[in-house]
């Protein structure tokens, strides 16, 4: 696996009465296994499908974006790395709907483009911790793979 420095910041704010505070899923300069990738997705559907993500899109022009990335975090122990991955996955799974603020196109440390979208979780998966030194000094690294579906007006 290669390692990259993040060129984006992605902040997730869960929706719900008992939702926790916003969490930065990745920040500019973080070590990433795969950089933030956003691919447009347009769906045309004539009839509603119960439980499909299209239901979220229906009021938003049937268009959205698939955002995916894999980030890493360093820890002193295997157990701490594993716990972080499981905790992050649990948070997203328990609150799969939220708002995403995506900041990109950094120049001199300042994002030149900021967008906010409604987000639904497609997938989150923590990989087993590793002590692969390609990510940095000797430490245990947890890799977290995240896929979100973004809809709504860019604001």
């Amino acid at each position: 696996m290669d390692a990259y420095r993040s060129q984006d910041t992605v902040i997730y704010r869960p929706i719900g009465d008992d939702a926790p505070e916003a969490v930065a899923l990745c920040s500019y300069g973080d070590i990433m296994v795969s950089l933030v990738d956003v691919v447009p997705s347009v769906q045309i559907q004539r009839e509603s499908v119960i439980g499909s993500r299209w239901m979220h899109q229906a009021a938003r022009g049937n268009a959205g974006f698939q955002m995916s990335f894999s980030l890493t975090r360093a820890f002193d122990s295997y157990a701490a790395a594993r716990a972080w991955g499981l905790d992050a996955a649990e948070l997203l799974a328990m609150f799969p709907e939220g708002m995403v603020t995506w900041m990109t196109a950094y120049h001199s440390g300042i994002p030149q483009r900021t967008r906010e979208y409604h987000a639904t979780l497609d997938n989150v998966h923590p990989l087993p911790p590793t002590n692969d030194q390609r990510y940095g000094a000797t430490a245990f690294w947890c890799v977290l793979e995240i896929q979100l579906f973004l809809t709504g007006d860019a604001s």
Side-chain angles (χ1 to χ4, degrees):
M1 287 189 230
D2 293 323
Y4 307 93
R5 289 285 177 184
S6 176
Q7 301 298 306
D8 303 273
T9 298
V10 177
I11 299 169
Y12 183 75
R13 289 182 317 285
I15 294 174
D17 294 336
D18 57 345
E21 296 292 318
V23 59
L25 297 178
C26 69
S27 298
Y28 180 74
D30 280 353
I31 297 174
M32 309 278 287
V33 175
S34 65
L35 296 174
V36 174
D37 184 35
V38 178
V39 179
S41 173
V42 177
Q43 296 181 13
I44 303 298
Q45 182 124 359
R46 302 289 182 221
E47 298 176 21
S48 62
V49 177
I50 296 174
S52 78
R53 66 180 180 205
W54 183 83
M55 298 295 278
H56 290 289
Q57 297 178 53
R60 298 177 176 88
N62 297 328
F65 299 95
Q66 180 74 43
M67 173 183 272
S68 59
F69 55 94
S70 297
L71 66 135
T72 63
R73 291 284 191 272
F75 296 90
D76 292 334
S77 70
Y78 178 94
R82 181 76 173 135
W84 175 81
L86 293 172
D87 288 348
E90 180 181 277
L91 168 75
L92 290 169
M94 297 300 289
F95 298 94
E97 187 175 13
M99 297 300 293
V100 160
T101 301
W102 175 33
M103 294 175 271
T104 191
Y106 278 80
H107 176 71
S108 300
I110 300 169
Q112 304 300 303
R113 184 175 188 273
T114 300
R115 297 289 188 263
E116 187 166 291
Y117 299 96
H118 182 267
T120 52
L121 178 68
D122 276 347
N123 188 32
V124 60
H125 182 71
L127 299 178
T130 180
N131 60 355
D132 192 328
Q133 293 191 10
R134 284 178 283 189
Y135 302 133
T138 55
F140 287 94
W141 296 89
C142 185
V143 176
L144 187 66
E145 297 175 341
I146 299 173
Q147 293 175 333
L148 299 166
F149 192 75
L150 310 178
T151 58
D153 298 327
S155 56

